[in-house]
Amino acid sequence: MWEPKRLLVGPAPIDFVSLDDAATSIADRSLRGGVHLCNAYTLALADERSELAEVLNADAANLPDGMPLVWWAKRRGVAWAERVYGPDLMERVLDLGRAFDTRHYLYGSTPEVLVELEAAIAVRWPGAHIVASESPPFRDLTDDEISESVNRAADAGANLVWVGMGTPKQDL
């Protein structure tokens, strides 16, 4: 159930919620829109780059993927705050998503890594539905290239796109 404690941390709100609640809300698609995994580095960049701060302020959720954010929240009375570590979140969503027919699209890294990841997912979470994967060029993409990638994900029937390109590129 998506009921985070949202606190402003520097330039962006962070949603303090349990890993289980975050994963369930993503897998069952009750949480819609961009979800960012934020650490202190992400927030420091957002403090320097207004376009990143705007994205973090506009999207659905910013999860605390760093212990300094958890410590900060605990000092402000959110005793139950916990880290929502990206790999743990992905594992949990892949597992839970099988019950909700979540259709995953993997975006980022190299073709070789994506092949290995898809094989590992098939073994560990049989029935997890990976509709496609894409390895974009390792350079800044044009607006047209980004639009084409979005269209490919939509055409594949994805309702969840995992982006692994590094911060801030993946957030923007």
Side-chain angles (χ1 to χ4, degrees), residues 20-33:
D20 286 336
D21 285 348
T24 300
S25 298
I26 293 168
D28 72 8
R29 297 184 294 285
S30 60
L31 177 60
R32 296 187 174 271

Side-chain angles (χ1 to χ4, degrees), residues 13-156:
I14 299 296
D15 298 292
F16 294 93
V17 64
S18 73
L19 173 62
D20 286 336
D21 285 348
T24 300
S25 298
I26 293 168
D28 72 8
R29 297 184 294 285
S30 60
L31 177 60
R32 296 187 174 271
V35 176
H36 302 270
L37 296 161
C38 298
N39 57 27
Y41 175 67
T42 308
L43 295 175
L45 282 177
D47 199 40
E48 295 173 1
R49 298 180 61 177
S50 61
E51 71 274 19
L52 179 56
E54 288 173 18
V55 166
L56 295 177
N57 278 278
D59 273 337
N62 301 312
L63 302 174
D65 185 7
M67 284 309 296
L69 295 177
V70 172
W71 300 328
W72 181 91
K74 288 179 183 279
R75 289 190 181 124
R76 278 149 187 83
V78 186
W80 50 266
E82 67 181 72
R83 181 181 187 198
V84 180
Y85 181 51
D88 292 343
L89 179 65
M90 186 177 192
E91 288 180 356
R92 192 74 52 92
V93 172
L94 284 164
D95 185 32
L96 293 171
R98 295 180 293 180
F100 298 104
D101 191 33
T102 305
R103 293 177 308 278
H104 307 267
Y105 191 93
L106 308 175
Y107 185 84
S109 195
T110 65
E112 297 80 15
V113 167
L114 289 172
V115 166
E116 288 180 29
L117 180 58
E118 286 189 56
I121 289 169
V123 169
R124 187 152 178 209
W125 298 282
H129 196 169
I130 307 300
V131 295
S133 61
E134 181 176 347
S135 176
F138 282 82
R139 59 169 168 74
D140 288 337
L141 302 175
T142 67
D143 289 343
D144 285 344
E145 288 173 319
I146 293 169
S147 293
E148 291 166 6
S149 290
V150 169
N151 290 337
R152 281 191 292 275
D155 291 347

